[in-house]
Amino acid sequence: LIRLNYHNVENQVDEVEEWVSKLGIKTTKEVEVPKLLFNQVIGQETAGEVIKKAAMQKRHVLLIGDPGTGKSMLAQSMVDFLPKEELEDILCFPNMEDPNKPKIKTFPAGKGKEIVKQYQIKAERDRKDRSRSLLFIIFSIILLGIVMAVVLRSYSIIFFAILAAAFLYVLLAMNPVARVERSMVPKILVSHNTNDKPPFIDSTGAHSGALLGDVRHDPFQSGGLETPAHERVEAGNIHKADKGVLFIDEINLLRPEDQQALLTAMQEKKYSISGQSERSAGAMVQTEPVPCDFVLVAAGNIDALRNMHPALRSRIRGYGYEVFMNDAMDDNDENRKKLVQFIAQEIAKDKKIPPFDTSAIVEIIKEAQKRAGRKGKLTLRLRELGGLVRVAGDIAVAEKADIVTGRHVTMAKELSKPVEQQIADRAIEVKKLYNTFLGEGEAVGKVNGLAVMGSQELSDLSGIVMPIVAEVTPAQHKGNGMVYATGKLGDIAKEAVENVSAVIKKISGKNISDVDIHIQFVGTYEGVEGDSASVSIATAVISALERIPIDQTIAMTGSLSVRGEVLPVGGVTAKIEAAIDAGLKKVVIPLSNLNDVILDEAHRNRIEIIPAATIEDVLNVALVKSPEKDDFFKQLHDTLGENEKAITTQ
Ligand code: ADP
């Protein structure tokens, strides 16, 4: 049995402090932030190279990876590498022959606004000319009336002249030609300034109209009050991204019809705009094809691949690149420096938070180590880590501190716990209150198991102590013993017992088909995962079978193989923290998980961590020292020895 204390990990943590002190900086103010967005993306070198190459060749890209690892940042940085092409303004003109098919014309960047202005000026001038000539005609008629009235000495003629003038005025003012002239002014769909960079359009979560363009509904439709069709045309994101980058995260959530349309747009490089809602007057309108020559960067997590339109994916594969993002990077000199740069970047981006001192940098690096969940790695789930930087900054600001220290970061960690962690905290409080676990003394058949709560999506898993109780009774039907498991994890428990029954039989020498085994998970909560409980279940069952008490100051986690080896599990750090928070003294973890333990300041040196390679190791620690235990182990060694012999002679 290997019994390690925690000093090796301790040393590693001190090492971070030492490393930061060697940087020779006092605060992040002295750290340079790269100007080019591309150089601000850290830890994604492979993806970065691909993005650069794709940009230069105008290829589409599919970025798959965890949220907050820099997918949209990379997509955005593409615009700096796109080949220098002329941006174009896109205008929509009325179509005199077919009003429901507005015309589309493109102009060099910056020209669009000028053209519209010219049309407006012309329309205005025409309007003025017209009203001037109208007034002239009316005055002439009235004047003529007066002259005739004087000549003919019949004053009623004046009355008729005024009547005629008024009639003429109404007729001309309502002249449809006038309205036609006003509606000759084209509508700007897409416009740029002459020196603009290529556009980056984030279309994540956009509905069809926003993505593909739309024609607004016209409530009046006729009778002289209608808005001309071309004025109701709205560009979609695919058109706004013309000559630039269109970014769509969670691509799998895009409706299949929209994915199909997107595919068409990518193939044709132009796409007509029509009304998206069937019942609206806009649905009758369809423009000429509108240019949409964009580079698509589609993103998503690994699930996205499954729900993505196969044709769309194949289009990207055939005409572009697929990249899998890193979720962690090696914990080395270079990458730590990048992490420091990242802190400086986040501060610069936020604008409100003060610089971080070295103690704060140390805490962030340690948190990055911890969230990576593997020793020798730093997390790249940087959106979440950036959140921590901001919360720490806000706390410092609230304290009116002009510098963020390690203390602020520690407080921020407490504040920015995910909901799962908060539930786990509350659950622990409740459990303590009702004493569902002993935390001291000894008990037969009762084990402090450890579980994690929360989705694997979060890099910040939450641990919880999950007591498991086993009771053994003579089988109701001899030779046909059953496993009864209650609590939310019933099925997992049954499976675990089946998996380990061979081990139990081998170790205890008892045939479990002669007994009924009852297993209860005490107070399990929604969202608790149980696949890593098999070591705990086996220990509880063996204790109950052999009537040897278990030390209740111990917690344990581990998955058991059918051969009795303890296999690694996820979330060990979170589980150990839960054991510490619950006031337990020792924790048994799989030997192969030892490198994954990264405890923070608040949890260091507060529990004895005992790595175990086999169920024997676990039992040796967990079962309370007693003559029964000695007997048991003696017997165990005998049976194991015999087994070995049996195997070799076979
Ligand atoms: P994604 O698109 O993968 O969900 P984003 O690119 O939107 O993630 O990242 C969100 C934020 O997290 C960024 O604005 C940045 O502050 C930070 N961030 C994420 N990944 C990185 C990275 N690789 N390098 C630097 N900052 C990052």
Side-chain angles (χ1 to χ4, degrees):
L1 181 81
I2 313 140
R3 192 178 281 248
L4 290 183
N5 234 326
Y6 211 49
H7 294 303
N8 50 343
V9 179
E10 199 93 6
N11 288 341
Q12 178 227 338
V13 171
D14 290 342
E15 182 265 314
V16 174
E17 271 161 39
E18 201 182 314
W19 183 86
V20 172
S21 72
K22 280 202 193 122
L23 277 180
I25 54 166
K26 285 205 179 65
T27 73
T28 50
K29 224 175 176 166
E30 296 157 52
V31 179
E32 204 184 331
V33 175
K35 293 221 167 41
L36 204 59
L37 182 65
F38 182 80
N39 294 330
Q40 293 185 7
V41 181
I42 69 168
Q44 305 291 359
E45 285 74 18
T46 325
E49 282 314 304
V50 172
I51 278 284
K52 229 183 200 170
K53 214 187 299 167
M56 290 192 262
Q57 303 166 352
K58 289 199 67 179
R59 298 269 192 248
H60 306 298
V61 185
L62 178 61
L63 294 175
I64 294 296
D66 288 343
T69 49
K71 297 186 288 293
S72 90
M73 260 180 117
L74 277 177
Q76 199 167 349
S77 72
M78 257 179 124
V79 299
D80 290 317
F81 300 101
L82 284 175
K84 287 270 162 291
E85 256 185 293
E86 297 298 316
L87 292 181
E88 47 190 23
D89 288 352
I90 306 173
L91 300 192
C92 188
F93 288 81
N95 185 342
M96 285 306 148
E97 284 102 64
D98 184 355
N100 279 337
K101 197 166 177 57
K103 293 188 166 163
I104 299 294
K105 291 198 180 109
T106 59
F107 301 90
K111 269 269 177 295
K113 284 187 206 117
E114 275 175 36
I115 288 171
V116 170
K117 185 131 229 170
Q118 282 167 12
Y119 271 89
Q120 278 166 343
I121 291 170
K122 184 172 176 301
E124 182 67 10
R125 204 175 46 219
D126 289 355
R127 193 184 61 77
K128 278 196 185 135
D129 284 356
R130 220 178 22 253
S131 41
R132 225 175 283 137
S133 39
L134 197 61
L135 276 179
F136 177 75
I137 292 171
I138 287 167
F139 274 118
S140 314
I141 291 176
I142 294 172
L143 207 64
L144 194 71
I146 292 172
V147 170
M148 280 177 59
V150 171
V151 173
L152 297 178
R153 293 180 181 275
S154 161
Y155 292 102
S156 56
I157 289 183
I158 296 181
F159 174 73
F160 284 113
I162 291 175
L163 210 64
F167 181 70
L168 205 67
Y169 177 82
V170 171
L171 208 69
L172 288 180
M174 286 201 57
N175 180 3
V177 177
R179 212 170 310 114
V180 166
E181 263 167 21
R182 174 176 68 90
S183 63
M184 281 306 289
V185 178
K187 166 159 186 183
I188 298 184
L189 293 184
V190 176
S191 86
H192 300 282
N193 292 319
T194 19
N195 293 326
D196 278 355
K197 272 199 219 173
F200 168 79
I201 305 291
D202 185 344
S203 191
T204 306
H207 56 86
S208 312
L211 177 66
L212 306 168
D214 205 348
V215 180
R216 272 184 292 123
H217 180 62
D218 181 1
F220 298 111
Q221 294 176 42
S222 67
L225 289 167
E226 72 267 30
T227 313
H230 81 280
E231 282 182 18
R232 291 185 277 126
V233 173
E234 309 276 350
N237 286 337
I238 56 169
H239 308 110
K240 292 179 188 158
D242 181 45
K243 307 282 181 223
V245 175
L246 180 71
F247 176 68
I248 306 181
D249 200 355
E250 302 183 72
I251 184 78
N252 51 313
L253 297 187
L254 200 61
R255 299 189 318 171
E257 308 90 280
D258 289 348
Q259 293 195 38
Q260 186 65 52
L262 189 65
L263 183 62
T264 312
M266 283 157 72
Q267 277 159 350
E268 310 280 326
K269 298 193 192 327
K270 43 192 190 273
Y271 196 84
S272 303
I273 298 174
S274 61
Q276 295 288 339
S277 55
E278 269 165 50
R279 311 269 293 281
S280 112
M284 295 187 308
V285 179
Q286 185 173 35
T287 67
E288 289 179 349
V290 184
C292 59
D293 180 14
F294 55 85
V295 168
L296 175 72
V297 181
N301 57 14
I302 194 79
D303 292 340
L305 290 183
R306 233 169 293 137
N307 299 329
M308 205 173 153
H309 196 303
L312 181 59
R313 174 151 184 223
S314 132
R315 177 83 194 174
I316 297 177
R317 279 175 68 106
Y319 294 86
Y321 302 92
E322 288 188 347
V323 195
F324 189 59
M325 304 287 287
N326 295 330
D327 62 352
M329 56 182 176
D330 288 339
D331 183 5
N332 58 29
D333 226 42
E334 193 189 341
N335 288 339
R336 282 184 186 183
K337 281 190 189 143
K338 284 189 192 156
L339 204 57
V340 178
Q341 174 200 316
F342 165 75
I343 301 172
Q345 275 168 206
E346 294 295 303
I347 295 170
K349 224 187 295 176
D350 189 88
K351 295 198 176 75
K352 290 187 295 290
I353 52 184
F356 276 40
D357 76 356
T358 51
S359 70
I361 297 175
V362 168
E363 282 305 313
I364 296 286
I365 293 180
K366 282 188 213 160
E367 188 63 16
Q369 289 177 331
K370 188 177 147 196
R371 291 190 182 191
R374 284 164 282 169
K375 180 107 157 249
K377 294 279 179 187
L378 298 168
T379 186
L380 280 173
R381 313 244 325 206
L382 293 176
R383 192 207 311 265
E384 289 166 19
L385 204 63
L388 187 64
V389 169
R390 277 183 291 281
V391 175
D394 290 347
I395 294 173
V397 169
E399 284 184 2
K400 297 201 166 42
D402 50 12
I403 203 133
V404 182
T405 66
R407 186 177 59 85
H408 294 129
V409 180
T410 313
M411 281 165 74
K413 271 194 279 185
E414 189 63 33
L415 264 181
S416 59
K417 279 180 181 174
V419 172
E420 285 85 352
Q421 176 82 58
Q422 296 178 28
I423 295 173
D425 287 353
R426 196 109 12 113
I428 287 169
E429 275 169 29
V430 172
K431 281 192 170 174
K432 279 209 179 124
L433 205 61
Y434 292 104
N435 257 334
T436 56
F437 54 85
L438 295 171
E440 56 188 32
E442 49 195 61
V444 169
K446 186 166 185 184
V447 165
N448 292 319
L450 292 169
V452 282
M453 296 184 82
S455 63
Q456 298 295 335
E457 283 286 288
L458 289 163
S459 52
D460 212 4
L461 285 173
S462 307
I464 190 165
V465 177
M466 183 178 67
I468 296 170
V469 182
E471 190 62 71
V472 175
T473 55
Q476 276 183 338
H477 312 284
K478 197 150 175 57
N480 196 12
M482 301 280 283
V483 177
Y484 300 94
T486 56
K488 284 225 170 63
L489 299 172
D491 291 341
I492 290 168
K494 276 185 201 155
E495 208 178 293
V497 173
E498 271 156 31
N499 278 345
V500 299
S501 66
V503 180
I504 294 173
K505 197 163 147 190
K506 191 168 86 178
I507 286 189
S508 72
K510 288 196 176 134
N511 194 343
I512 59 168
S513 61
D514 289 339
V515 290
D516 283 344
I517 297 174
H518 305 259
I519 297 166
Q520 192 195 359
F521 292 84
V522 184
T524 38
Y525 285 77
E526 203 72 59
V528 173
E529 300 199 2
D531 51 343
S532 56
S534 45
V535 162
S536 314
I537 294 170
T539 306
V541 170
I542 289 169
S543 160
L545 271 173
E546 302 290 336
R547 313 299 308 164
I548 308 173
I550 294 169
D551 182 350
Q552 295 299 306
T553 64
I554 290 183
M556 63 178 71
T557 181
S559 185
L560 198 56
S561 80
V562 286
R563 305 183 44 182
E565 300 144 327
V566 177
L567 304 177
V569 293
V572 261
T573 300
K575 287 173 177 172
I576 293 175
E577 286 178 357
I580 293 170
D581 293 338
L584 299 171
K585 303 276 177 323
K586 296 175 191 171
V587 58
V588 181
I589 64 164
L591 175 62
S592 38
N593 274 132
L594 198 59
N595 277 345
D596 304 330
V597 182
I598 298 152
L599 292 179
D600 59 16
E601 191 94 42
H603 290 98
R604 243 178 293 147
N605 230 1
R606 288 182 48 197
I607 201 163
E608 188 183 351
I609 296 171
I610 304 163
T614 65
I615 183 74
E616 230 187 301
D617 295 343
V618 178
L619 293 171
N620 199 6
V621 180
L623 298 181
V624 172
K625 208 167 162 43
S626 60
E628 292 87 349
K629 180 181 176 183
D630 293 341
D631 280 354
F632 171 69
F633 266 89
K634 193 172 163 302
Q635 179 195 336
L636 182 64
H637 285 299
D638 291 348
T639 42
L640 287 184
E642 268 164 37
N643 280 353
E644 293 291 301
K645 257 181 261 157
I647 288 165
T648 43
T649 49
Q650 254 172 17

